[in-house]
Amino acid sequence: MRSAEGARSSRADQADQRRAELLDAARRVVLERGLASTRVSDIAKATNVSGGLIHYHFATKDDLITAMLRATSESEVRRLREIIAGPGTAIQRLDRVLRFYIPSSRSDQSWILWLDAWALGVREPHVREILLELEGGWIEILSEVISQGMEAGEFTCDDPQGAAERLDGMLDGLVVRYTLHSGAMSRKRLLEHARIAAAREVGVDRASFPA
């Protein structure tokens, strides 16, 4: 009995590992070819497996892409949770969230993926659902940081949820401009815009943010 249970557990672990490998490959291929142009055969080639094996784990391409985007989204939200659980004042935690939000460069792979997903999400409900989940996670975390700052006496804000929604929307627009228009805005200037807007929302001076 124990041997049979161990075998089932081993097979389940192997299946989970294979799924993770396929999701990782899907992300790499999507970043190279784009969401709309990626085919199951491209992912099969990248992983040196048959299309049939991919369909064993994911019934359709949409299922595979949805799983890949959701895994990426969940990973980012987990990282955000770690950031706001870290040490420091509320203003320091808010600044870390802003820094994490902003692309590391114009070729930031995470943002390239999400910009592609935004375009596809206009017409594809399964992609739009994940985008809304990710946006909801960001707004929730921003709101939590602002509320924590209010409780600590660091921030003044009548509507943490509304402040988080405004910051999220503003940052999305600025990031699109930064990513798509080379030379229009530097990352340093983008971060400065984010800090100024955040300072106004939480009732502190811009100089309160770390240097």
Side-chain angles (χ1 to χ4, degrees), residues 77-155:
V77 171
R78 281 196 302 272
R79 178 61 186 132
L80 271 175
R81 289 288 175 194
E82 293 171 0
I83 287 173
I84 68 169
T89 62
I91 196 74
Q92 289 171 334
R93 292 196 300 276
L94 177 57
D95 194 58
R96 289 199 295 268
V97 170
L98 296 178
R99 286 176 173 274
F100 182 72
Y101 197 108
I102 292 172
S104 58
S105 69
R106 286 187 172 82
S107 59
D108 186 295
Q109 298 294 282
S110 177
W111 266 104
I112 288 174
L113 176 64
W114 293 122
L115 288 173
D116 193 9
W118 280 351
L120 191 63
V122 173
R123 294 180 175 83
E124 300 292 344
H126 65 284
V127 175
R128 183 164 60 247
E129 178 183 352
I130 294 169
L131 290 170
L132 292 174
E133 289 175 4
L134 177 61
E135 183 180 21
W138 273 101
I139 291 172
E140 180 181 354
I141 288 169
L142 276 169
S143 180
E144 285 182 22
V145 174
I146 294 171
S147 296
Q148 291 168 3
M150 293 170 61
E151 292 172 4
E154 294 182 50
F155 297 160

Side-chain angles (χ1 to χ4, degrees), residues 26 29-31 33-40 42-43 61 65:
V29 172
V30 163
L31 285 168
R33 297 180 59 87
L35 282 165
S37 299
T38 294
R39 302 169 299 179
V40 170
D42 299 321
I43 299 168
K61 172 193 165 181
I65 295 301

